[in-house]
């Protein structure tokens, strides 16, 4: 009898974990679609071919395929073959973002291709509804920015970190 109860408890735990993952994945996809819709309602171009979420049972590996974001009023735009966001299911405040090796950026009067061997970031938010950044890191390696007009800029490595300083005032909240 004890083994039946233990077996039932294990099956119930696995089922609950599956439901929790499915709810989190559905919420993530809904939030991304809502963000894209909000941008479109504000006159932006905000598109993606599709949003896929994988990583069961412990991660939410979200990929936006062919994202394109543009603000026609300012002239800024960005598009890429994909954008990936990774998150462990048990820590909804920590995200890892991975950009593709090639993406296009447009600013008023200029369009450029950004190529990089590595371009990724890690962002940790405070656990509240205001989405305040607790700490963040950005790593770019082997990057070149090439304008359609023929100019070129490059960087071997760019690593940047910020973190919240808990005892500082609002003007010095990060170091």
């Amino acid at each position: 009898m004890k083994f039946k109860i233990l077996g039932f408890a294990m099956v119930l735990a696995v089922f609950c974990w599956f439901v929790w993952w499915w709810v989190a994945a559905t919420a993530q996809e809904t939030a991304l679609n809502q963000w894209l819709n909000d941008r479109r309602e504000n006159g932006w171009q905000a598109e993606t071919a599709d949003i896929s979420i994988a990583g069961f049972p412990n991660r939410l590996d979200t990929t936006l395929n062919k994202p394109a974001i543009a603000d026609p009023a300012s002239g800024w735009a960005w598009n890429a073959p994909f954008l990936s966001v990774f998150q462990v299911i048990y820590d909804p405040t920590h995200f890892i973002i991975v950009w593709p090796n090639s993406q296009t950026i447009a600013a008023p009067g200029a369009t450029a291709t950004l190529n990089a061997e590595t371009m990724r970031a890690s962002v940790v938010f405070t656990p509240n509804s205001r989405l305040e950044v607790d700490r963040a890191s950005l790593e770019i390696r082997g990057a070149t920015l090439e304008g359609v007009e023929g100019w070129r800029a490059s960087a071997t490595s760019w690593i940047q970190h910020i973190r919240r300083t808990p005892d500082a005032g609002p003007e010095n909240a990060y170091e």
Side-chain angles (χ1 to χ4, degrees):
M1 184 67 169
K2 290 180 185 179
F3 287 113
K4 286 183 181 180
I5 293 172
L6 181 61
F8 177 75
M10 288 176 60
V11 168
L12 182 63
V14 168
F15 177 75
C16 289
W17 190 259
F18 171 79
V19 169
W20 170 246
W21 186 90
W22 180 80
V23 167
T26 302
Q28 182 119 326
E29 185 175 6
T30 300
L32 286 167
N33 280 318
Q34 185 60 50
W35 186 86
L36 292 167
N37 286 335
D38 291 347
R39 300 294 74 74
R40 286 191 288 269
E41 287 177 6
N42 288 329
W44 290 40
Q45 173 199 3
E47 319 236 340
T48 185
D50 65 41
I51 298 171
S52 65
I53 300 179
F56 180 80
N58 291 321
R59 298 186 336 208
L60 292 173
D61 297 345
T62 305
T63 301
L64 285 78
N65 292 299
K66 298 182 182 176
I69 306 292
D71 179 6
S74 69
W76 286 89
W78 170 82
N79 68 66
F82 69 88
L83 178 69
S84 294
V85 180
F86 304 107
Q87 174 187 12
V88 290
I89 193 79
Y90 48 83
D91 187 0
T93 64
H94 188 181
F95 297 86
I96 295 171
I97 303 140
V98 177
W99 287 267
N101 294 44
S102 183
Q103 50 198 302
T104 304
I105 301 167
T111 300
T113 300
L114 174 60
N115 295 304
E117 292 171 12
T118 301
M119 188 169 174
R120 60 184 168 217
S122 172
V123 180
V124 178
F125 295 97
T126 56
N128 61 34
S129 62
R130 294 187 302 249
L131 291 177
E132 297 168 329
V133 175
D134 183 54
R135 64 185 185 276
S137 297
L138 172 67
E139 177 185 11
I140 304 172
R141 298 205 184 265
T144 59
L145 187 63
E146 298 181 48
V148 294
E149 299 84 10
W151 57 266
R152 179 184 165 125
S154 64
T156 304
S157 177
W158 179 7
I159 299 174
Q160 187 160 353
H161 306 283
I162 64 167
R163 68 177 175 183
R164 179 180 291 283
T165 307
D167 299 330
E171 67 279 352
N172 295 316
Y174 292 92
E175 59 180 10

